[in-house]
Amino acid sequence: MAKKFSQEHEWIELEDGIATIGITDYAQQSLGDIVYVELPEIGKKLTKDGDAAVVESVKAASDVYAPLDGEVVEINEDLDVNPALVNEAPETDGWFFRMSLTDESQLDELMDEAAYKDFVEGL
């Protein structure tokens, strides 16, 4: 599945019923150098638009929201030792967590890449 994007600058990629979530390149550029990432616990149930993680940069701390309802099944432990991965590869190796989805139809409410680019250009 092609990536989907939220208005809060999270990306979602679904594979075999598991969604990988991270922040977009636009978000990491806005934050600056990432120094710490607080990830959700495995097994935590997340609600769409609810708090999921926290990312801290040299500029500020920012919440990362769950773009969909579901349960955390994996976290990116590499971010504990190397939070700069979010800056280096925000939409690949710098992913935050993976979750099983409660309702895959919520993906229809998110933007595709072209719509997200238009959204960002309008900011």
Side-chain angles (χ1 to χ4, degrees):
M1 180 197 107
K3 282 189 175 114
K4 295 280 199 161
F5 299 86
S6 74
Q7 290 188 354
E8 289 75 32
H9 309 289
E10 287 93 24
W11 60 264
I12 303 90
E13 192 165 40
L14 187 67
E15 186 174 329
D16 297 327
I18 301 296
T20 302
I21 315 293
I23 64 171
T24 64
D25 188 51
Y26 175 86
Q28 72 81 19
Q29 286 181 23
S30 298
L31 286 165
D33 292 339
I34 306 295
V35 295
Y36 177 72
V37 178
E38 181 181 316
L39 297 169
E41 292 182 18
I42 292 173
K44 181 175 181 177
K45 295 198 183 315
L46 300 176
T47 305
K48 184 178 187 296
D49 299 327
D51 292 347
V54 176
V55 61
E56 293 182 16
S57 71
V58 293
K59 294 182 184 178
S62 183
D63 289 326
V64 176
Y65 302 101
L68 308 160
D69 293 340
E71 183 176 330
V72 177
V73 296
E74 186 180 354
I75 58 171
N76 187 351
E77 295 178 359
D78 291 343
L79 299 183
D80 286 340
V81 291
N82 187 12
L85 262 179
V86 177
N87 294 117
E88 296 162 10
E91 295 184 24
T92 55
D93 293 340
W95 61 275
F96 280 37
F97 58 93
R98 292 189 170 121
M99 62 191 289
S100 60
L101 302 181
T102 304
D103 181 2
E104 286 190 23
S105 71
Q106 289 179 327
L107 286 163
D108 298 337
E109 300 168 27
L110 300 171
M111 295 176 272
D112 63 16
E113 190 167 3
Y116 179 72
K117 283 184 179 175
D118 289 345
F119 172 73
V120 168
E121 286 175 8
L123 297 178

